[in-house]
Every structure is written in C-alpha cells, then in structure tokens.
Amino acid sequence: MSTFALPVLSSNGSLEQYIQTVNSIPMLTQEEEIELATRHQQHEDLEAAKRLVMSHLRVVVSIARGYAGYGLPQADLIQEGNIGLMKAVKRFEPNRGVRLFSFAVHWIKAEMHEFILRNWRLVRIATTKPQRKLFFNLRSMKKSFAALSDSEARAIAEDLGVKPEEVREMETRMSGQDVSLLADDNDDDAYAPIDWLADAHNEPTVTLERRAVDRLQSEGLLEALSTLDPRSRRIIEARWLADDSGATLHDLAAEFGVSAERIRQIEAKALGKMKTALHSGVVIDG
C-alpha cells in the first residue's frame, strides 16, 4: 500500500501552491469514505486516516476564506482548521449515516474560532505605519462622536498622509462595532464566523477589551510590550506589529529553532500577559 504525505504550509512554501495541491487531491466517494473510516475505526489504520484527511483539506481552505475579514494570516487559519479536521477524522463514525464533510465542519470551525478569539482585537488593530498613525491620532482629530463625513475623512487623510478609505476603515475598526455574519443554523455548508459561538456582545470581557483599546492610543501598548521577555516580544512584534502582513508561525519557528506549535504557545501566553497588563490600567466606571 502506498504512503501518503500530507502537504504542509512551510515558511519556504507558497499559500497559492498549497491550495493548488490540495485542490488537486480527488474527493472520495461515499463508499470509499465508509470503507476507509471503518478501517480506521476498527483497526486504527493510519493510512486510511491520512486519505480521509487529505481528501478534505480543500474543505479547510474553503472555510478559512470565510474568516478573511478578521485580518489574520490565511496560512495560520488553515493550519488551525487542519487540526480540527484531524480531530474530526479521529472521532468520525461511518455507521451514523453522515458524510465526513458535514461532521468535520464543526470541528474545523471550532479550531479556527478559538484561534481568532485568542488573537483578534488585542494588538492587531494597528499593524502598518499608516494604521498606527491613524490609530494614535484619529480619535483626537474627530470633532464629535458621530461618524465622519466625507469631507472630514478627506481632511484627516490629507493631514496624516493616508488614503480616505484607510481613515474610514480605522474609524470602523476602532468603533468596537464588530460585524456578525450569521448563517442558517440548519445549513451545514454555511461558513459563518458566529455560527458556533455564543453572542458575547455584552460580556464583561468584551467591555474590558473595548476600554483597553482606548489605552492603546497612548502608552498602553508600549507598557504591555515591556512586560514581555525578549523572545516573546520579538514574536508579538513580528506577528502583529510588522509593517507587512506579519510573520507566520513557521517563519518564527525557523528563526528560533523550535516547532510552530511552540511558537503558538509562546504567542498565546504573551498575548494573555499583555491583555492582563492592559486591563490592569483600565478604570471601570461604577
């Protein structure tokens, strides 16, 4: 029996090339899927498990596209989704009469959601130099709490040397009014970001995060970064504060000579430490 090697997203590879590779892998028929899943379930056949995973990697890519609006690296979203897919294959029971695709959607989304919740809105709001300039100056330059008019947006853009659409985008992102894209709960094929998450709009943690954004306009971000050790700070700055799209987990894994999973652990711990530092300086009214 031939050996199957899972395609991987590496620091030297191309996301487009990866997508082309996984899209070239044929989908399984229902009979093939049942036969492979039965072999894996009854005999722990890893070869069968690999074939099940490989044939559904394109599903992960498709779901990851639905989360592009969060500004997180597609490669990392796909990597997280692949973990969810492997968990789904491990738990899949072919005699239930459900296709693996439908069963795996929940596990794939769950891993992506956890990744988004860990990383979104803490420091990602200002990553490029123009965005940082907007972030630290836009609120003070607004004349009121009302939305900017076209003329006001153009004036601020000219003053700061950025585009009017960048002013509009930053105003929206700083407003705290996150867009929730809901889908039909009965549609297993709908790739909506909120399908599997509770409504957290009024949760205390969300309120604290919004107030922490205000502190980020002054000294908050620098103070939070100063609490990190050099390696953690390097990882946060490379991932979230770089002028370009940010380094991937694999880029930093190669730099520090550790696994991508270890980089993710360090990153998660550092973000948690920064969040604690930011929240400790937020005054809660009432």
Side-chain angles (χ1 to χ4, degrees):
M1 187 175 295
S2 60
T3 300
F4 290 82
L6 293 177
V8 295
L9 281 167
S10 65
S11 57
N12 297 324
S14 161
L15 178 60
E16 291 75 17
Q17 183 179 13
Y18 173 86
I19 293 174
Q20 289 178 2
T21 299
V22 300
N23 284 339
S24 68
I25 301 172
M27 294 292 290
L28 299 171
T29 65
Q30 186 169 7
E31 292 74 19
E32 290 173 329
E33 186 177 288
I34 292 174
E35 190 267 333
L36 290 169
T38 301
R39 281 167 45 192
H40 178 244
Q41 184 184 51
Q42 296 181 356
H43 307 291
E44 297 185 355
D45 189 331
L46 295 182
E47 183 79 5
K50 285 184 180 180
R51 291 192 59 187
L52 289 169
V53 170
M54 289 179 64
S55 66
H56 288 78
L57 290 175
R58 65 175 69 192
V59 177
V60 177
V61 172
S62 179
I63 294 176
R65 290 195 181 104
Y67 296 91
Y70 286 94
L72 298 172
Q74 281 284 292
D76 290 343
L77 281 169
I78 291 172
Q79 176 177 288
E80 298 297 320
N82 286 346
I83 294 173
L85 173 59
M86 288 186 282
K87 289 182 178 179
V89 169
K90 182 178 180 180
R91 293 164 174 81
F92 182 57
E93 298 180 10
N95 58 352
R96 295 277 185 174
V98 178
R99 293 298 300 268
L100 177 57
F101 168 85
S102 298
F103 180 77
V105 165
H106 166 74
W107 292 95
I108 295 169
K109 287 182 176 180
E111 291 296 320
M112 291 185 183
H113 288 169
E114 185 175 346
F115 176 71
I116 291 169
L117 290 175
R118 284 199 311 267
N119 296 291
W120 191 53
R121 284 183 58 93
L122 181 57
V123 294
R124 188 63 179 177
I125 196 168
T127 55
T128 65
K129 288 182 178 178
Q131 287 175 340
R132 285 198 291 272
K133 184 187 294 184
L134 277 171
F135 183 76
F136 288 108
N137 292 279
L138 179 57
R139 193 180 297 271
S140 62
M141 296 180 71
K142 290 184 65 173
K143 297 179 180 180
S144 70
F145 290 106
L148 290 170
S149 65
D150 290 340
S151 59
E152 289 174 330
R154 286 195 298 271
I156 292 175
E158 183 176 356
D159 191 29
L160 296 178
V162 297
K163 299 177 181 178
E165 52 266 31
E166 291 178 313
V167 175
R168 289 291 192 190
E169 179 185 2
M170 184 57 66
E171 180 188 34
T172 300
R173 297 174 72 182
M174 291 178 66
S175 70
Q177 298 174 352
D178 304 327
V179 177
S180 298
L181 302 178
L182 302 179
D184 186 350
D185 291 337
N186 297 319
D187 185 359
D188 289 336
D189 297 336
Y191 305 144
I194 311 302
D195 282 353
W196 304 94
L197 297 176
D199 181 8
H201 183 74
N202 294 316
E203 287 184 359
T205 54
V206 176
T207 301
L208 287 173
E209 286 182 357
R210 288 173 181 165
R211 295 187 182 188
V213 169
D214 291 335
R215 288 194 69 243
L216 284 174
Q217 293 180 78
S218 55
E219 76 283 356
L221 180 56
L222 291 177
E223 288 182 358
L225 284 170
S226 69
T227 65
L228 304 179
D229 61 85
R231 181 173 65 172
S232 298
R233 179 164 182 163
R234 162 61 183 156
I235 290 172
I236 294 299
E237 289 178 339
R239 292 274 290 156
W240 305 112
L241 300 177
D243 289 338
D244 52 20
S245 59
T248 67
L249 295 174
H250 286 284
D251 292 333
L252 292 166
E255 178 178 334
F256 289 104
V258 297
S259 67
E261 175 60 25
R262 178 57 182 154
I263 294 296
R264 184 176 70 169
Q265 293 172 357
I266 296 172
E267 177 188 44
K269 184 176 180 180
L271 289 172
K273 188 172 184 179
M274 289 181 67
K275 180 182 289 187
T276 300
L278 289 169
H279 287 177
S280 66
V282 176
V283 178
I284 303 177
D285 297 331

